[in-house]
Amino acid sequence: MGVGTNLKKLRTNKTKFSQQEVADMLGLDRSTYINWENETSDVKSQYIPKLAEIFNVEIRDLFEEEKTFQISNSTFNDSAGVIVFNLSDRKIAEKLSLQIEELIRTIKK
């Protein structure tokens, strides 16, 4: 997933701006902005700070790939009985923690 995909997600999920509205805020033709979202052309670096401002995110958020995970209620066959998760993304770690807590509650019932 690239910057264009992130732009589209931010625009449709967070701000509900139209492509034309974002293009107007940037002083661009709509077709240029569409090409960015479709990843048929690269976003020019001079527009990155303004895009972060429009979507009210940090610049790095425009470049981050979405990380997902899922835990199922299955038996883990680890001889030591220990599972180690090495996560560098705080949001993912928090989400994992909540899912593990929910899984434990479900198992205890």
Side-chain angles (χ1 to χ4, degrees):
M1 172 175 34
V3 174
T5 302
N6 289 341
L7 291 176
K8 187 171 186 175
K9 284 183 179 183
L10 288 167
R11 182 180 58 78
T12 58
N13 296 335
K14 188 172 181 176
T15 64
K16 308 293 185 202
F17 290 137
S18 69
Q19 291 172 325
Q20 184 65 60
E21 289 172 317
V22 176
D24 289 345
M25 287 184 253
L26 295 168
L28 299 170
D29 289 335
R30 180 173 171 256
S31 61
T32 300
Y33 182 77
I34 289 171
N35 288 337
W36 292 352
E37 279 193 4
N38 293 334
E39 298 184 0
T40 55
S41 66
D42 293 330
V43 178
K44 304 295 182 214
S45 61
Q46 68 201 50
Y47 294 102
I48 298 295
K50 183 66 176 172
L51 285 164
E53 181 183 321
I54 289 169
F55 296 120
N56 196 28
V57 296
E58 298 291 325
I59 289 174
R60 71 173 178 262
D61 296 332
L62 299 174
F63 297 92
E64 287 186 346
E65 291 191 29
E66 184 176 324
K67 300 171 187 170
T68 60
F69 65 90
Q70 184 175 16
I71 297 175
S72 62
N73 190 0
S74 61
T75 304
F76 297 102
N77 294 320
D78 182 79
S79 60
V82 176
I83 301 168
V84 176
F85 296 96
N86 185 4
L87 303 170
S88 59
D89 185 300
R90 181 179 178 160
K91 290 178 187 175
I92 296 296
E94 290 170 354
K95 187 173 180 180
L96 177 60
S97 176
L98 292 172
Q99 286 188 349
I100 289 172
E101 289 173 6
E102 180 61 31
L103 179 60
I104 291 169
R105 280 193 292 276
T106 303
I107 291 170
K108 287 184 176 180
K109 288 181 182 182

